[in-house]
Amino acid sequence: MKSKKSIIQSAVSTLELEAAAILNVAKNINSDFEKVVSSILHGKGRVIVTGIGKSAIIAQKMVATFNSTGTPAIFMHAADAIHGDLGMIQLDDIVICLSKSGNTPEIKVLTPLLKTSGNLLIGMVGELNSFLAEQADLILNTSFEKEACPHNLAPTTSTTAQLALGDALAICLLECRDFNESDFAKYHPGGALGKKLYLKARDLALSNEKPSIHPSASVKDVLIEISKNRLGAVVVVDNDDRVLGIITDGDIRRMLENNNSIANLKAEDIMGRKPKSIQFDALAVDALDIIKQNNITQLLVLEQNTYFGIIHLHDLLNEGIV
């Protein structure tokens, strides 16, 4: 059993080896990388990413990243390719083949078939003297010193290099396409990530009550209005629905602490006169920023200068945005 110190040293050593491999990949970026980016950008087909073993797993991650950032891509397992899946490749598709050694039997069988079909073949390979490197039209160099595995066997450093270079390729394509947050939201409509990119303040406000009261209302009326909703607040408005202030549960407590008699108090006497607000078409995630920055739980939503609704911190929690 390793000591605590040796366990930590092993972890640090692994990370240092993998970090060095990524830096080495960065040094090997050359004109072939630029040509790969240009070919994909101007290509009429899809990107087919293939590999075997651990490289196949990295290939699947690359495909997922490509698809989510505007580059249509399909994963093809190298072993399945030579048993029928080659049929998924169309004339204008570009093929990226991942391999640590570039000499595995499946790669040696697959590569000539890809060359025969006339598709552009890109080899992401760690051995530049390999069969794949010799056959590929363009090379993405993932050469490395050694695996983090103490036996230099388990793919660790090699797959980290592939993963990092795949990310670099995806980000370059994203930037060249001017792929922005709105584009990203179209491909990520589900979950908290999608909601941060498309959910609006109005969407949350519409699901809530719209508590309001006039400035001359009595404290009793204020309490009744607050208790009718789950928001813990009521908005004070004028006859044109313009916001004059807000009364929260906290304002009620402070009123009781500071006044021996509340019989003659009105809403305007206890309201906060500068409530924080956001426009109804702003993103919900921006509403969260305002709530956090001001340490509040309610935020008014306005349509131009008029009262549209109210957002509670719980609304953001329920949507998974926090």
CSV table of all heavy atoms in Angstrom, one decimal, residues 246-285:
chain,number,residue,atom,x,y,z
A,246,ILE,N,-41.0,49.2,-3.4
A,246,ILE,CA,-41.3,47.8,-3.1
A,246,ILE,C,-41.3,47.7,-1.5
A,246,ILE,O,-40.6,48.3,-0.8
A,246,ILE,CB,-40.2,46.9,-3.7
A,246,ILE,CG1,-40.7,45.4,-3.5
A,246,ILE,CG2,-38.9,47.1,-3.1
A,246,ILE,CD1,-39.8,44.4,-4.3
A,247,ILE,N,-42.2,46.8,-1.1
A,247,ILE,CA,-42.3,46.5,0.4
A,247,ILE,C,-42.0,45.0,0.5
A,247,ILE,O,-42.8,44.2,-0.1
A,247,ILE,CB,-43.6,46.8,1.0
A,247,ILE,CG1,-43.9,48.3,0.8
A,247,ILE,CG2,-43.7,46.5,2.5
A,247,ILE,CD1,-45.3,48.8,1.2
A,248,THR,N,-41.0,44.6,1.3
A,248,THR,CA,-40.7,43.2,1.4
A,248,THR,C,-41.0,42.7,2.9
A,248,THR,O,-41.3,43.6,3.7
A,248,THR,CB,-39.2,42.9,1.2
A,248,THR,OG1,-38.4,43.6,2.2
A,248,THR,CG2,-38.8,43.4,-0.2
A,249,ASP,N,-40.9,41.4,3.1
A,249,ASP,CA,-41.0,41.0,4.5
A,249,ASP,C,-40.1,41.7,5.4
A,249,ASP,O,-40.4,42.0,6.6
A,249,ASP,CB,-40.8,39.4,4.5
A,249,ASP,CG,-41.9,38.6,3.9
A,249,ASP,OD1,-43.0,39.1,3.8
A,249,ASP,OD2,-41.6,37.5,3.4
A,250,GLY,N,-38.9,41.9,5.0
A,250,GLY,CA,-37.9,42.6,5.8
A,250,GLY,C,-38.4,44.0,6.1
A,250,GLY,O,-38.1,44.5,7.3
A,251,ASP,N,-39.0,44.7,5.2
A,251,ASP,CA,-39.5,46.1,5.5
A,251,ASP,C,-40.6,46.0,6.6
A,251,ASP,O,-40.7,46.9,7.4
A,251,ASP,CB,-40.1,46.7,4.2
A,251,ASP,CG,-39.0,46.9,3.2
A,251,ASP,OD1,-37.9,47.4,3.5
A,251,ASP,OD2,-39.3,46.7,2.0
A,252,ILE,N,-41.4,45.0,6.5
A,252,ILE,CA,-42.5,44.8,7.5
A,252,ILE,C,-41.9,44.6,8.9
A,252,ILE,O,-42.3,45.3,9.9
A,252,ILE,CB,-43.4,43.6,7.2
A,252,ILE,CG1,-44.1,43.9,5.8
A,252,ILE,CG2,-44.4,43.4,8.3
A,252,ILE,CD1,-45.0,45.1,5.8
A,253,ARG,N,-40.8,43.8,9.0
A,253,ARG,CA,-40.2,43.6,10.3
A,253,ARG,C,-39.6,44.9,10.8
A,253,ARG,O,-39.7,45.2,12.0
A,253,ARG,CB,-39.1,42.5,10.2
A,253,ARG,CG,-39.7,41.1,10.0
A,253,ARG,CD,-38.7,40.0,10.2
A,253,ARG,NE,-37.7,40.1,9.1
A,253,ARG,CZ,-37.8,39.4,8.0
A,253,ARG,NH1,-38.9,38.7,7.7
A,253,ARG,NH2,-36.8,39.5,7.1
A,254,ARG,N,-38.9,45.6,9.9
A,254,ARG,CA,-38.2,46.8,10.4
A,254,ARG,C,-39.3,47.9,10.8
A,254,ARG,O,-39.1,48.6,11.7
A,254,ARG,CB,-37.4,47.4,9.3
A,254,ARG,CG,-36.1,46.6,9.1
A,254,ARG,CD,-35.2,47.3,8.1
A,254,ARG,NE,-35.7,47.1,6.7
A,254,ARG,CZ,-35.4,46.0,6.0
A,254,ARG,NH1,-34.6,45.0,6.5
A,254,ARG,NH2,-35.9,45.9,4.7
A,255,MET,N,-40.5,47.9,10.1
A,255,MET,CA,-41.5,48.8,10.5
A,255,MET,C,-42.0,48.5,11.9
A,255,MET,O,-42.2,49.4,12.7
A,255,MET,CB,-42.7,48.6,9.5
A,255,MET,CG,-43.9,49.4,9.9
A,255,MET,SD,-45.4,48.8,9.0
A,255,MET,CE,-45.6,47.2,9.7
A,256,LEU,N,-42.2,47.2,12.2
A,256,LEU,CA,-42.7,46.8,13.5
A,256,LEU,C,-41.7,47.2,14.6
A,256,LEU,O,-42.0,47.5,15.8
A,256,LEU,CB,-43.0,45.4,13.6
A,256,LEU,CG,-44.2,44.9,12.7
A,256,LEU,CD1,-44.3,43.4,12.6
A,256,LEU,CD2,-45.5,45.6,13.1
A,257,GLU,N,-40.4,47.0,14.3
A,257,GLU,CA,-39.3,47.3,15.3
A,257,GLU,C,-39.2,48.8,15.6
A,257,GLU,O,-38.9,49.2,16.7
A,257,GLU,CB,-38.0,46.8,14.8
A,257,GLU,CG,-37.9,45.3,14.7
A,257,GLU,CD,-36.6,44.8,14.0
A,257,GLU,OE1,-35.9,45.7,13.5
A,257,GLU,OE2,-36.4,43.6,14.0
A,258,ASN,N,-39.5,49.6,14.6
A,258,ASN,CA,-39.2,51.1,14.7
A,258,ASN,C,-40.5,51.9,15.0
A,258,ASN,O,-40.3,53.1,15.2
A,258,ASN,CB,-38.6,51.6,13.4
A,258,ASN,CG,-37.3,50.9,13.1
A,258,ASN,OD1,-36.5,50.6,14.0
A,258,ASN,ND2,-37.0,50.8,11.8
A,259,ASN,N,-41.6,51.3,15.1
A,259,ASN,CA,-42.9,52.1,15.3
A,259,ASN,C,-43.7,51.5,16.4
A,259,ASN,O,-44.0,50.3,16.4
A,259,ASN,CB,-43.7,52.2,14.0
A,259,ASN,CG,-43.0,53.0,12.9
A,259,ASN,OD1,-43.1,54.2,12.9
A,259,ASN,ND2,-42.3,52.3,12.0
A,260,ASN,N,-44.1,52.3,17.4
A,260,ASN,CA,-45.0,51.8,18.4
A,260,ASN,C,-46.4,51.7,17.9
A,260,ASN,O,-47.2,50.8,18.4
A,260,ASN,CB,-44.9,52.8,19.6
A,260,ASN,CG,-43.6,52.7,20.3
A,260,ASN,OD1,-43.0,51.7,20.4
A,260,ASN,ND2,-43.1,53.9,20.8
A,261,SER,N,-46.8,52.5,17.0
A,261,SER,CA,-48.1,52.5,16.4
A,261,SER,C,-48.0,52.5,14.9
A,261,SER,O,-47.3,53.3,14.3
A,261,SER,CB,-49.0,53.7,16.9
A,261,SER,OG,-50.2,53.7,16.2
A,262,ILE,N,-48.8,51.6,14.3
A,262,ILE,CA,-48.7,51.5,12.8
A,262,ILE,C,-50.1,51.9,12.2
A,262,ILE,O,-50.3,51.7,11.0
A,262,ILE,CB,-48.3,50.1,12.3
A,262,ILE,CG1,-49.4,49.1,12.8
A,262,ILE,CG2,-47.0,49.7,12.8
A,262,ILE,CD1,-49.1,47.7,12.3
A,263,ALA,N,-51.0,52.4,13.0
A,263,ALA,CA,-52.4,52.6,12.5
A,263,ALA,C,-52.4,53.6,11.4
A,263,ALA,O,-53.3,53.5,10.5
A,263,ALA,CB,-53.2,53.1,13.7
A,264,ASN,N,-51.6,54.6,11.5
A,264,ASN,CA,-51.7,55.7,10.5
A,264,ASN,C,-50.6,55.5,9.3
A,264,ASN,O,-50.5,56.4,8.5
A,264,ASN,CB,-51.5,57.0,11.2
A,264,ASN,CG,-52.6,57.3,12.1
A,264,ASN,OD1,-53.8,57.0,11.9
A,264,ASN,ND2,-52.2,57.9,13.3
A,265,LEU,N,-49.9,54.5,9.4
A,265,LEU,CA,-48.8,54.3,8.3
A,265,LEU,C,-49.5,53.8,7.0
A,265,LEU,O,-50.4,53.1,7.0
A,265,LEU,CB,-47.8,53.3,8.8
A,265,LEU,CG,-46.9,53.7,10.0
A,265,LEU,CD1,-46.0,52.5,10.3
A,265,LEU,CD2,-46.1,54.9,9.6
A,266,LYS,N,-48.9,54.3,5.9
A,266,LYS,CA,-49.3,53.9,4.6
A,266,LYS,C,-48.2,53.2,3.9
A,266,LYS,O,-47.0,53.2,4.3
A,266,LYS,CB,-49.7,55.2,3.8
A,266,LYS,CG,-50.7,56.0,4.4
A,266,LYS,CD,-52.1,55.3,4.5
A,266,LYS,CE,-53.1,56.2,5.1
A,266,LYS,NZ,-54.4,55.5,5.3
A,267,ALA,N,-48.5,52.6,2.8
A,267,ALA,CA,-47.5,51.9,2.0
A,267,ALA,C,-46.3,52.7,1.6
A,267,ALA,O,-45.1,52.3,1.7
A,267,ALA,CB,-48.1,51.3,0.7
A,268,GLU,N,-46.6,54.0,1.3
A,268,GLU,CA,-45.5,54.9,0.9
A,268,GLU,C,-44.5,55.2,2.0
A,268,GLU,O,-43.4,55.6,1.8
A,268,GLU,CB,-46.0,56.2,0.3
A,268,GLU,CG,-46.9,57.0,1.2
A,268,GLU,CD,-47.5,58.1,0.6
A,268,GLU,OE1,-47.1,58.4,-0.6
A,268,GLU,OE2,-48.5,58.7,1.1
A,269,ASP,N,-45.0,55.0,3.3
A,269,ASP,CA,-44.2,55.3,4.4
A,269,ASP,C,-43.1,54.2,4.7
A,269,ASP,O,-42.1,54.5,5.4
A,269,ASP,CB,-45.1,55.5,5.7
A,269,ASP,CG,-46.0,56.6,5.5
A,269,ASP,OD1,-45.7,57.7,5.0
A,269,ASP,OD2,-47.2,56.5,6.0
A,270,ILE,N,-43.4,53.0,4.3
A,270,ILE,CA,-42.5,51.9,4.6
A,270,ILE,C,-41.8,51.3,3.4
A,270,ILE,O,-41.0,50.4,3.6
A,270,ILE,CB,-43.3,50.8,5.4
A,270,ILE,CG1,-44.5,50.3,4.6
A,270,ILE,CG2,-43.8,51.3,6.7
A,270,ILE,CD1,-45.2,49.1,5.2
A,271,MET,N,-42.1,51.7,2.2
A,271,MET,CA,-41.6,51.1,1.0
A,271,MET,C,-40.1,51.5,0.8
A,271,MET,O,-39.7,52.6,1.2
A,271,MET,CB,-42.4,51.5,-0.2
A,271,MET,CG,-42.3,52.9,-0.6
A,271,MET,SD,-43.3,53.3,-2.0
A,271,MET,CE,-42.9,55.1,-2.3
A,272,GLY,N,-39.4,50.6,0.2
A,272,GLY,CA,-38.1,50.9,-0.3
A,272,GLY,C,-38.2,51.7,-1.7
A,272,GLY,O,-38.9,51.2,-2.6
A,273,ARG,N,-37.6,52.8,-1.8
A,273,ARG,CA,-37.9,53.7,-2.9
A,273,ARG,C,-37.0,53.5,-4.1
A,273,ARG,O,-37.2,54.1,-5.1
A,273,ARG,CB,-37.8,55.2,-2.4
A,273,ARG,CG,-38.8,55.5,-1.4
A,273,ARG,CD,-38.8,56.9,-0.9
A,273,ARG,NE,-39.8,57.2,0.1
A,273,ARG,CZ,-41.1,57.6,-0.2
A,273,ARG,NH1,-41.4,57.7,-1.5
A,273,ARG,NH2,-41.9,57.8,0.8
A,274,LYS,N,-36.0,52.7,-4.0
A,274,LYS,CA,-35.1,52.4,-5.1
A,274,LYS,C,-34.9,50.9,-5.4
A,274,LYS,O,-33.8,50.4,-5.2
A,274,LYS,CB,-33.8,53.1,-4.9
A,274,LYS,CG,-33.8,54.6,-4.9
A,274,LYS,CD,-32.5,55.3,-4.8
A,274,LYS,CE,-32.5,56.8,-4.7
A,274,LYS,NZ,-31.2,57.4,-4.6
A,275,PRO,N,-36.0,50.3,-5.7
A,275,PRO,CA,-35.9,48.8,-5.9
A,275,PRO,C,-35.1,48.4,-7.1
A,275,PRO,O,-35.1,49.2,-8.1
A,275,PRO,CB,-37.4,48.4,-6.1
A,275,PRO,CG,-38.1,49.6,-6.6
A,275,PRO,CD,-37.4,50.7,-5.9
A,276,LYS,N,-34.4,47.4,-7.0
A,276,LYS,CA,-33.6,46.9,-8.1
A,276,LYS,C,-34.5,46.3,-9.2
A,276,LYS,O,-35.5,45.7,-8.9
A,276,LYS,CB,-32.5,45.8,-7.7
A,276,LYS,CG,-31.5,46.4,-6.7
A,276,LYS,CD,-30.7,47.5,-7.2
A,276,LYS,CE,-29.8,48.1,-6.2
A,276,LYS,NZ,-29.0,49.3,-6.7
A,277,SER,N,-34.1,46.5,-10.4
A,277,SER,CA,-35.0,46.0,-11.5
A,277,SER,C,-34.2,45.6,-12.7
A,277,SER,O,-33.0,45.8,-12.8
A,277,SER,CB,-36.0,47.1,-11.9
A,277,SER,OG,-35.3,48.2,-12.5
A,278,ILE,N,-34.9,44.9,-13.6
A,278,ILE,CA,-34.3,44.5,-14.9
A,278,ILE,C,-35.4,44.5,-16.0
A,278,ILE,O,-36.6,44.4,-15.7
A,278,ILE,CB,-33.8,43.0,-14.8
A,278,ILE,CG1,-32.9,42.6,-15.9
A,278,ILE,CG2,-34.9,42.0,-14.6
A,278,ILE,CD1,-32.1,41.3,-15.7
A,279,GLN,N,-35.0,44.8,-17.2
A,279,GLN,CA,-35.9,44.8,-18.3
A,279,GLN,C,-36.4,43.4,-18.6
A,279,GLN,O,-35.7,42.4,-18.5
A,279,GLN,CB,-35.3,45.5,-19.5
A,279,GLN,CG,-35.2,47.0,-19.4
A,279,GLN,CD,-36.5,47.7,-19.3
A,279,GLN,OE1,-37.4,47.4,-20.0
A,279,GLN,NE2,-36.6,48.6,-18.4
A,280,PHE,N,-37.7,43.3,-19.1
A,280,PHE,CA,-38.3,42.0,-19.3
A,280,PHE,C,-37.7,41.1,-20.3
A,280,PHE,O,-37.8,39.9,-20.3
A,280,PHE,CB,-39.8,42.2,-19.6
A,280,PHE,CG,-40.1,42.6,-21.0
A,280,PHE,CD1,-40.9,41.8,-21.8
A,280,PHE,CD2,-39.6,43.8,-21.5
A,280,PHE,CE1,-41.2,42.1,-23.1
A,280,PHE,CE2,-39.9,44.2,-22.8
A,280,PHE,CZ,-40.7,43.3,-23.6
A,281,ASP,N,-37.0,41.7,-21.3
A,281,ASP,CA,-36.3,40.9,-22.3
A,281,ASP,C,-34.9,40.6,-22.0
A,281,ASP,O,-34.2,40.0,-22.9
A,281,ASP,CB,-36.4,41.7,-23.7
A,281,ASP,CG,-35.8,43.1,-23.7
A,281,ASP,OD1,-35.5,43.5,-22.5
A,281,ASP,OD2,-35.7,43.7,-24.7
A,282,ALA,N,-34.4,40.9,-20.8
A,282,ALA,CA,-33.0,40.5,-20.4
A,282,ALA,C,-33.0,39.1,-20.1
A,282,ALA,O,-34.0,38.4,-19.8
A,282,ALA,CB,-32.6,41.4,-19.3
A,283,LEU,N,-31.8,38.5,-20.1
A,283,LEU,CA,-31.6,37.1,-19.8
A,283,LEU,C,-31.8,36.9,-18.3
A,283,LEU,O,-31.4,37.7,-17.5
A,283,LEU,CB,-30.2,36.6,-20.2
A,283,LEU,CG,-30.0,36.4,-21.7
A,283,LEU,CD1,-28.5,36.1,-21.9
A,283,LEU,CD2,-30.8,35.3,-22.3
A,284,ALA,N,-32.4,35.7,-18.0
A,284,ALA,CA,-32.6,35.4,-16.6
A,284,ALA,C,-31.3,35.3,-15.8
A,284,ALA,O,-31.2,35.6,-14.6
A,284,ALA,CB,-33.3,34.0,-16.5
A,285,VAL,N,-30.2,34.9,-16.5
A,285,VAL,CA,-28.9,34.8,-15.8
A,285,VAL,C,-28.4,36.2,-15.4
A,285,VAL,O,-27.7,36.3,-14.4
A,285,VAL,CB,-27.9,34.0,-16.7
A,285,VAL,CG1,-27.5,34.9,-18.0
A,285,VAL,CG2,-26.6,33.6,-16.0
